[in-house]
Amino acid sequence: MRNLNEHNITDEVVRRFTTTSSDPRVQTIMASLVKHLHAFAREVNLTEEEWFQGIEFVTRVGQKCDDKRQEFILLSDTLGLSQLVVAQNHKRPPGVTEQTVFGPFHMPGAPHLAPGANIAAGVQGEPCFVSAWVQSATGQPVAGASVDVWQADAGGLYDVQHPEWHDMKLRAVFKTDQEGRFRLRTIKPCSYPVPTDGPVGEMMRALDQNPYRPAHLHFMIQAEGYDRLITHAFVEGDPYLDSDAVFGVRSSCIGDYVRHDPGVAPDGTRLEVPFYTLDYQFVLQPLPHHS
Amino acid sequence: MRNLNEHNITDEVVRRFTTTSSDPRVQTIMASLVKHLHAFAREVNLTEEEWFQGIEFVTRVGQKCDDKRQEFILLSDTLGLSQLVVAQNHKRPPGVTEQTVFGPFHMPGAPHLAPGANIAAGVQGEPCFVSAWVQSATGQPVAGASVDVWQADAGGLYDVQHPEWHDMKLRAVFKTDQEGRFRLRTIKPCSYPVPTDGPVGEMMRALDQNPYRPAHLHFMIQAEGYDRLITHAFVEGDPYLDSDAVFGVRSSCIGDYVRHDPGVAPDGTRLEVPFYTLDYQFVLQPLPHHS
């Protein structure tokens, strides 16, 4: 076609992308991407200068990425795309724990610890005792589930963000017992900002957006016959619950972290400082062929 | 809002982006981008694996860019976005020469040459004599217009793509005379592929797309009171006119490059090889405040 103009160009791109013998799913994705990308440019009547600013922006996003930093995932997170993709791939009926963004800080190979172990050994923070149970939507305990937990420290940094820390901290794997229960000791999580020293930070400042995430523990729970649950346990009362920079807060993912005065902790030890307890419940979604 | 799900997340992102005191145009652009990006993800029911492939792809596109290569512009070109943005910013009535993509190969500071000069001195190729006139939509000659011309060599490479070439070749600036005319000697342009050694090349192979551009000369014509014309003069009969990899062909941008047997050329010299002539007309669009 040699008569392209602003009105017919979209149809022509889609026609060319979808009339070859290439993979049908690739064709479907790329045709839809082109349609929506063009619709965006038309809707805002994008100027050439704005187009070039966009080119420069995504170029800098790509060049900010290295083996420790993924600025495009951060961009996807802060545009709500990551949480949308997670949600539409893990539809959960009421009463089942909802899926949230995975985030970049999970590490494979965390230590497998015994029930009640302290994953915050040597880390400063307010002691927090977590007692949780994992069950199915019908109330059956899920025994033998693998429970990954990870979190940031009191300064908002994960262990991998501390160049001087050489071993894993604030992360571990537990197993649920016959009643579907697990427990651990840690420190109460704190709200913290996403990295704002790159182009995504510039974008958030240009939009006057809050860069903070509300305090949370991360959990990944795997058990045969259930959809793998990747979720957060947010802290009720956190000031950023309604403005999470990555749009990850869901109504079934908020827990009561209860403050206690100094005294005897759930593990029987006596603490000279205040501490918190979290009693929490995870409800797993059966996989279709098991339901 | 702490009750985000796949249905309400888009409204919440848009609400947050548009309820601050930041620049209204930035808000408009980002809100529209989010709406269309989310609509794309929903329409194709994007999976988490596909989302991650997309993240990896745009990351590699950014990391392919350097001071000589702009892979994101190439991506925009091959998705038809660049030509759409050009077209919607330079709407031209029938009879006025249409705008095309600028491309990455224009260089400022090309030599200003006398009428009829050969911009292909020392470069192999079929001789081509261009005689053109520049006029307004009402048929008035546009005298004193600045005419940048640039093109690839017979192997499909621009001078800047030849690391061993240290001076500018196949590019120059001419001025129109009192009748709005200019003429030059060059070589007939050839069709050539866009760079396919990067992630955009992988995308085009996955979509089974032609990477070739039809042969063309580039022109940029500037005259006071007229919208700057950035356009191509494509070669009628080129096999890629209907499948230009960057969707840049427009009906008013195709010229008759007429072949002649060896003999006396338009500049009076006698040639022992066949040569081409192009008689071409550019029609400029008056700027609104001059019309």
Side-chain angles (χ1 to χ4, degrees), chain A residues 37-172:
Chain A
L37 185 64
H38 286 204
F40 153 68
R42 279 195 190 90
E43 182 172 283
V44 301
N45 201 14
L46 198 69
T47 69
E48 289 162 292
E49 187 185 351
E50 290 162 348
W51 168 84
F52 190 62
Q53 288 175 343
I55 292 286
E56 289 184 312
F57 176 75
V58 289
T59 301
R60 286 188 295 120
V61 171
Q63 296 186 337
K64 187 74 183 174
C65 297
D66 59 28
D67 58 347
K68 289 193 175 158
R69 176 80 174 253
Q70 228 309 349
E71 192 81 352
F72 264 117
I73 291 185
L74 184 60
L75 179 61
S76 170
D77 291 351
T78 54
L79 297 179
L81 179 65
S82 307
Q83 180 62 36
L84 169 61
V85 171
V86 163
Q88 74 182 3
N89 282 284
H90 302 276
K91 298 174 197 284
R92 301 273 161 73
V96 173
T97 307
E98 289 162 304
Q99 199 87 351
T100 61
V101 289
F102 193 39
F105 294 117
H106 177 261
M107 294 288 136
H112 290 251
L113 298 185
N118 184 2
I119 70 170
V123 179
Q124 287 203 318
E126 299 170 294
C128 179
F129 296 86
V130 177
S131 172
W133 64 105
V134 180
Q135 59 178 53
S136 72
T138 54
Q140 300 301 306
V142 179
S146 166
V147 179
D148 266 67
V149 57
W150 67 104
Q151 72 172 103
D153 67 13
L157 295 177
Y158 291 81
D159 53 2
V160 293
Q161 296 177 289
H162 283 280
E164 74 282 9
W165 288 12
H166 299 296
D167 54 342
M168 290 186 175
K169 292 182 196 293
L170 294 170
R171 61 179 76 239

Side-chain angles (χ1 to χ4, degrees), chain A residues 1-6 9-10 12-13 15-17 20-23 25-30 32-48 50-52 55-56 58-59 62-63 65-66 70 72-73 76-91 98-99 203 205-209 236-238 241-251 254, chain B residues 1-6 9-10 12-13 15-17 20-23 25-30 32-48 50-52 55-56 58-59 62-63 65-66 70 72-73 76-91 98-99 203 205-209 236-238 241-251 254:
Chain A
M1 186 165 186
R2 60 187 70 184
N3 190 23
L4 292 176
N5 59 48
E6 64 181 296
I9 190 169
T10 307
E12 171 65 3
V13 182
R15 186 193 67 75
R16 277 204 229 155
F17 281 10
T20 67
S21 58
S22 57
D23 182 86
R25 179 64 178 164
V26 173
Q27 292 187 10
T28 298
I29 289 174
M30 293 306 297
S32 175
L33 180 68
V34 164
K35 279 194 297 177
H36 290 286
L37 185 64
H38 286 204
F40 153 68
R42 279 195 190 90
E43 182 172 283
V44 301
N45 201 14
L46 198 69
T47 69
E48 289 162 292
E50 290 162 348
W51 168 84
F52 190 62
I55 292 286
E56 289 184 312
V58 289
T59 301
Q63 296 186 337
C65 297
D66 59 28
Q70 228 309 349
F72 264 117
I73 291 185
S76 170
D77 291 351
T78 54
L79 297 179
L81 179 65
S82 307
Q83 180 62 36
L84 169 61
V85 171
V86 163
Q88 74 182 3
N89 282 284
H90 302 276
K91 298 174 197 284
E98 289 162 304
Q99 199 87 351
M203 178 191 82
R205 283 188 291 278
L207 284 163
D208 196 18
Q209 294 297 294
E236 182 59 87
D238 188 284
L241 279 178
D242 293 311
S243 58
D244 182 6
V246 307
F247 304 91
V249 178
R250 309 199 63 170
S251 49
I254 303 174
Chain B
M1 187 166 186
R2 61 187 69 183
N3 189 22
L4 292 176
N5 59 47
E6 65 180 296
I9 189 170
T10 307
E12 170 66 2
V13 181
R15 187 192 67 75
R16 276 204 230 159
F17 281 10
T20 68
S21 58
S22 57
D23 183 85
R25 180 65 179 164
V26 173
Q27 292 187 9
T28 298
I29 289 175
M30 293 306 297
S32 175
L33 181 68
V34 163
K35 278 194 297 178
H36 290 286
L37 185 64
H38 285 203
F40 153 68
R42 280 195 188 90
E43 181 174 281
V44 302
N45 201 14
L46 198 69
T47 69
E48 290 162 293
E50 289 162 348
W51 167 84
F52 190 62
I55 293 285
E56 289 184 312
V58 288
T59 301
Q63 297 187 335
C65 297
D66 58 29
Q70 228 308 349
F72 264 117
I73 290 185
S76 170
D77 291 351
T78 54
L79 297 180
L81 179 65
S82 307
Q83 180 63 37
L84 169 61
V85 171
V86 164
Q88 75 181 3
N89 282 284
H90 302 276
K91 298 174 196 287
E98 289 163 305
Q99 199 89 349
M203 178 192 81
R205 285 188 289 280
L207 284 163
D208 196 19
Q209 293 297 294
E236 181 59 88
D238 188 284
L241 279 178
D242 293 312
S243 57
D244 181 6
V246 308
F247 304 91
V249 179
R250 309 199 63 170
S251 50
I254 303 175

